[in-house]
Amino acid sequence: MKTSALPGNYLKKIRNIGIIAHIDAGKTTLTERILFYARKIHRMGEVHEGTATMDYLPAEQERGITIVSACTTCGWKDKIINIIDTPGHVDFTIEVDRALRVLDGVIGVFCAVGGVEPQSETVWKQSEKYHIPKIAFINKMDRIGASFETVLEAMRQKLQVTPVPIQVPLGEGEDFKGVIDVLRMEKLKFNPDDQGRTFERIPLTGEEETYALKWREYLFEQLAEIDDTLLEAYLEGQEVSLDEVNRVLRKGTLELKIVPVLAGSALKNTGIQPVLDAVCEFLPSPVDVPQIEGIDPETKEKKSFPVSHKSALSALAFKVTMETGRKLVLLRIYSGRIVPGQTVYNASQGVEERVARLFRLHADHKEKIDEAVAGQIVAVAGLKHTKTGDTLCLREDPILLEKISEYRPVISMALEPKNSAEEEKLIQTLDKMLQEDPTLFVERDKDTEQIIISGMGELHLEVVLDRIKKDFGVEFRSGQPQVVYQETIADKASSEAEFARELGEDFHYGFVRVEVSPLPRNSGNEIRWEIDRSAWPAEWIDAVCNGIENGLQAGPLKGFPVHDIRVVVLELRSKEQGSSPVGYRMAAAMALKQAISQAKPVLLEPIMWVEIYTPEEFVGDCVGLLGAKGGRIENMFDRHGQKVIQSLTPLRKMFGFSTDLRSVSQGRAALSMKFDRFDVF
């Protein structure tokens, strides 16, 4: 795409969307149909057969789940749709978060039987953090137990949104026959002979029209609350044109006041094209969302560029992948343009990078392109230093965008290579995986010299180990999974420390007095000053901060990082000779350690939110099993003839829980588990 050939309204034709949901709600199956109907692929793959286009990793094909976000681009009518298919498993939440960070719109997929499941709720609320407009697709309407209205009610209750159906199912479960277009009051019949690629619009019968009118009236009631013109026409009984209805639907969607809802069955090839129409009609283009803001890395003042290829460059690296040893960085370009051979400035790292090649992605396939411009999502080769969350711009007009959220690991495992040659290969492999995965952490145990990897859950580490062995051919032994803890304090305390020592030929001095106090859970750490920092040399101040930050990396109980603590620097003292940054750094670390030790330090462990879905006859056994695992029952209710048991349970007791659950329920109970918080339990 050459900038000289860009139409003036090209940005309005772009849709950068993601597909989010709970595991097994049908995201990847929906994506596969979208690509097929958009003629991007010529044969639909299936998740259960391991042939889905977007699940290209061997680990994904074996497990039938999405592990990494996959990008693709397709066309629908006159629009260009960039799609990111995201994972549904809680262990890969970071994949969802970094995708959402660069998207303009989202399709939320819900199972018509399961409704708003735990991970659906998690990823939906992640998207709310970024104020992303959404549409919803209620999938699997052909499944026994499907209930369209139950899912709508769950959306209202759990997601706190106003769902507005623009397409409703004709029948549910075994009686599901198709869908009704509420806007046009027509029935859609999808052709099974060409896998649903074509469909026809059929007039409604009297009974069907009565059913559809109920939903149409509800639709107008919701839209009337958004737009005064439509409200007036509605109250006066005037006919409202389809264009006017679509205008208000789009307005309400972009303002996050409503969520248009569609229904169907992706596996049965029913109801997919209307989803594509809704993406084009109601979800935003890059110019319909607020202009992204950053700061000037030098002045720290707020800064932004207009969304145009003519503006200065601003782009966010949201994902790094390693392909056959070569690094690819996925970028969302917010303004400006990039061409191969161009030198760009990484404002996060403070280094210049050279763009070698540009690609448009289709899952694991790459299409070389000559230029990338504002509004696009592309892959770049040649960026040696760029990591997830970094900002790329121009050195002469720099901008620094907000980084992508960081996640704390909850589980760790020791790895032992078979020999020194394998150890070197293992370290190199882990280095590559660390560049890809910001939630993977690697360190060496100081006492045993073992390599310790930490991640977001058992499945996360299982997939990592699987890839190390199968994709990279490294042999090693692994220990049992271990829970990652944190430390905090329960009381307030103060302490002072003086460092006065010769190191080498130089004498170093520093004196620091600090006070520590606890903060609410998940508040992070905070450093405050009760002294006038401007009265002290900047390098001493930096040294004190450095000493405190380093000291918070290892608490006094078991050496785990310290969180949710406020540190107040109360006093510094100096000597005429010997005061140095080294002295203040050491004194600050010593004072902090003493203060934390006196402030009733406590251990925080990862607490999991556990949901069990079980037939009535196994409720007692499931509750008993949770009790044995230290679980605290929070809620219990009925859903579609099954009991749902919700509890909070410490992760350290949940290893092997799914196997025990299958045993006590004869394999009939299902489990959903997600990280809730670090806390004392």
Side-chain angles (χ1 to χ4, degrees):
M1 185 187 289
K2 301 289 184 184
T3 49
S4 57
L6 285 173
N9 63 346
Y10 84 98
L11 280 166
K12 292 187 176 181
K13 294 182 180 295
I14 294 176
R15 299 290 182 272
N16 291 316
I17 66 164
I19 302 180
I20 61 171
H22 188 86
I23 189 169
D24 203 32
K27 298 180 307 300
T28 303
T29 304
L30 172 65
T31 309
E32 205 71 13
R33 270 67 185 162
I34 286 174
L35 296 177
F36 180 67
Y37 299 142
R39 301 187 185 277
K40 183 73 177 184
I41 57 176
H42 304 293
R43 178 183 176 276
M44 284 189 286
E46 301 295 354
V47 173
H48 57 274
E49 294 174 0
T51 56
T53 306
M54 304 299 273
D55 286 349
Y56 59 86
L57 288 180
E60 295 178 310
Q61 293 163 359
E62 288 171 16
R63 290 174 170 80
I65 61 172
T66 301
I67 291 169
V68 298
S69 300
C71 305
T72 189
T73 301
C74 65
W76 186 252
K77 298 184 176 175
D78 65 336
K79 302 295 190 293
I80 301 162
I81 305 176
N82 298 314
I83 303 172
I84 300 182
D85 177 27
T86 65
H89 196 284
V90 65
D91 283 15
F92 307 107
T93 300
I94 182 67
E95 282 285 330
V96 184
D97 195 63
R98 58 188 178 177
L100 290 171
R101 177 74 169 77
V102 299
L103 294 173
D104 301 324
V106 157
I107 304 173
V109 182
F110 300 97
C111 172
V113 180
V116 180
E117 296 168 284
Q119 187 65 0
S120 304
E121 193 173 352
T122 299
V123 295
W124 190 279
K125 287 179 179 172
Q126 280 177 289
S127 74
E128 293 285 298
K129 180 174 71 174
Y130 298 119
H131 309 290
I132 300 176
K134 293 169 282 293
I135 63 173
F137 177 64
I138 300 179
N139 191 25
K140 304 189 179 185
M141 287 305 312
D142 57 317
R143 285 265 304 273
I144 295 172
S147 174
F148 184 70
E149 293 197 40
T150 301
V151 180
L152 294 181
E153 185 56 32
M155 290 177 68
R156 292 186 194 98
Q157 297 297 324
K158 293 186 176 182
L159 306 179
Q160 302 294 300
V161 297
T162 302
V164 178
I166 57 175
Q167 181 182 298
V168 296
L170 192 56
E172 296 175 339
E174 292 177 334
D175 298 327
F176 177 65
K177 303 180 188 69
V179 295
I180 293 174
D181 182 339
V182 177
L183 300 180
R184 295 173 177 82
M185 292 296 284
E186 294 171 332
K187 181 167 52 179
L188 307 183
K189 184 181 179 183
F190 294 83
N191 187 354
D193 296 333
D194 62 4
Q195 296 179 289
R197 178 169 269 170
T198 60
F199 64 94
E200 55 183 318
R201 295 182 174 275
I202 302 170
L204 301 175
T205 65
E207 188 178 339
E208 291 166 350
E209 186 171 350
T210 302
Y211 169 68
L213 280 171
K214 177 188 78 169
W215 290 108
R216 188 172 172 83
E217 188 171 332
Y218 171 77
L219 167 74
F220 275 92
E221 286 173 359
Q222 300 305 317
L223 296 186
E225 294 185 13
I226 297 170
D227 188 86
D228 290 340
T229 306
L230 191 141
L231 172 63
E232 192 176 316
Y234 176 69
L235 291 175
E236 293 178 3
Q238 297 175 12
E239 186 66 31
V240 182
S241 70
L242 180 60
D243 286 346
E244 180 67 6
V245 173
N246 282 339
R247 180 190 68 79
V248 181
L249 274 166
R250 180 176 176 78
K251 176 185 175 186
T253 305
L254 298 188
E255 293 175 355
L256 305 185
K257 292 179 178 177
I258 59 169
V259 177
V261 179
L262 302 97
S265 169
L267 194 61
K268 295 293 177 65
N269 309 319
T270 301
I272 311 304
Q273 292 92 328
V275 174
L276 277 166
D277 290 339
V279 166
C280 298
E281 193 70 50
F282 308 125
L283 290 183
S285 72
V287 292
D288 294 320
V289 294
Q291 195 168 293
I292 192 163
E293 275 196 344
I295 60 167
D296 188 304
E298 295 171 4
T299 66
K300 307 301 180 187
E301 294 179 355
K302 284 186 178 180
K303 188 173 185 178
S304 63
F305 299 131
V307 183
S308 166
H309 64 275
K310 297 178 181 178
S311 301
L313 174 65
S314 63
L316 185 73
F318 68 94
K319 185 177 170 68
V320 174
T321 66
M322 302 295 290
E323 290 190 358
T324 60
R326 293 178 180 175
K327 182 176 176 181
L328 268 186
V329 178
L330 273 61
L331 293 182
R332 164 68 192 269
I333 303 176
Y334 289 100
S335 62
R337 59 192 284 267
I338 297 178
V339 295
Q342 180 180 351
T343 298
V344 296
Y345 181 60
N346 184 322
S348 305
Q349 307 284 343
V351 296
E352 288 191 335
E353 297 261 52
R354 185 177 178 277
V355 176
R357 292 176 302 282
L358 291 170
F359 302 99
R360 185 180 293 117
L361 291 182
H362 176 50
D364 59 338
H365 300 292
K366 302 188 295 291
E367 176 192 341
K368 202 170 178 181
I369 55 177
D370 298 327
E371 180 180 46
V373 295
Q376 290 185 310
I377 292 174
V378 295
V380 182
L383 305 180
K384 296 178 181 177
H385 305 286
T386 301
K387 300 186 298 187
T388 299
D390 285 359
T391 303
L392 297 181
C393 55
L394 301 177
R395 183 181 275 280
E396 60 268 24
D397 200 352
I399 187 171
L400 185 61
L401 304 176
E402 184 184 349
K403 285 184 72 69
I404 290 172
S405 303
E406 295 181 355
Y407 284 75
R408 304 173 189 170
V410 298
I411 188 171
S412 64
M413 185 182 289
L415 303 184
E416 290 183 359
K418 292 192 173 180
N419 51 50
S420 56
E422 288 294 305
E423 179 171 2
E424 192 173 333
K425 282 173 63 180
L426 177 60
I427 291 169
Q428 289 174 353
T429 299
L430 287 171
D431 184 56
K432 291 174 183 175
M433 299 190 77
L434 283 171
Q435 292 190 59
E436 284 191 0
D437 186 352
T439 60
L440 183 65
F441 296 83
V442 179
E443 61 182 351
R444 275 207 187 263
D445 187 280
K446 292 177 183 176
D447 300 321
T448 66
E449 287 294 309
Q450 287 178 313
I451 297 170
I452 308 294
I453 64 169
S454 305
M456 303 305 294
E458 279 187 278
L459 180 60
H460 183 205
L461 292 190
E462 185 185 316
V463 168
V464 167
L465 299 187
D466 201 39
R467 289 193 63 197
I468 293 172
K469 284 182 178 176
K470 293 181 179 177
D471 295 1
F472 297 96
V474 182
E475 291 298 322
F476 60 88
R477 293 183 296 272
S478 58
Q480 291 298 312
Q482 302 292 321
V483 171
V484 174
Y485 292 87
Q486 293 180 357
E487 297 184 25
T488 191
I489 55 175
D491 206 351
K492 182 186 285 191
S494 62
S495 183
E496 60 188 49
E498 183 178 52
F499 184 86
R501 194 176 304 170
E502 280 190 11
L503 297 175
E505 297 181 358
D506 297 321
F507 178 74
H508 295 277
Y509 178 83
F511 177 95
V512 180
R513 183 162 64 94
V514 300
E515 178 186 81
V516 296
S517 56
L519 290 172
R521 293 288 179 265
N522 298 315
S523 299
N525 295 328
E526 186 181 299
I527 301 175
R528 289 189 178 180
W529 297 78
E530 282 203 357
I531 63 169
D532 181 6
R533 283 184 285 175
S534 64
W536 297 84
E539 58 267 28
W540 295 3
I541 296 294
D542 291 343
V544 172
C545 287
N546 189 253
I548 291 171
E549 287 166 358
N550 287 344
L552 292 172
Q553 298 307 307
L557 295 177
K558 292 190 176 182
F560 289 107
V562 181
H563 287 275
D564 304 332
I565 177 173
R566 175 182 290 128
V567 183
V568 182
V569 182
L570 301 174
E571 183 183 0
L572 301 183
R573 294 180 196 167
S574 65
K575 283 190 172 180
E576 285 188 15
Q577 291 185 335
S579 294
S580 70
V582 172
Y584 286 103
R585 184 172 70 248
M586 298 300 292
M590 291 160 56
L592 177 70
K593 186 176 181 180
Q594 293 167 16
I596 291 175
S597 298
Q598 296 165 17
K600 297 180 182 175
V602 292
L603 210 57
L604 300 176
E605 62 179 316
I607 309 301
M608 310 304 286
W609 177 258
V610 179
E611 283 197 3
I612 294 174
Y613 310 86
T614 178
E616 179 89 43
E617 60 264 37
F618 300 112
V619 168
D621 294 315
C622 293
V623 169
L625 180 61
L626 278 170
K629 298 291 185 181
R632 187 173 70 215
I633 306 297
E634 297 288 315
N635 201 4
M636 197 182 304
F637 55 89
D638 290 305
R639 180 189 287 166
H640 307 306
Q642 284 200 318
K643 285 285 186 183
V644 179
I645 306 165
Q646 297 176 327
S647 79
L648 288 169
T649 310
L651 175 61
R652 62 187 157 86
K653 297 202 173 182
M654 293 302 288
F655 296 121
F657 183 81
S658 57
T659 304
D660 296 338
L661 182 65
R662 281 195 296 272
S663 177
V664 302
S665 67
Q666 298 174 21
R668 295 177 64 192
L671 170 70
S672 173
M673 183 168 67
K674 69 175 181 177
F675 171 73
D676 188 73
R677 65 183 185 272
F678 278 96
D679 213 335
V680 179
F681 199 79

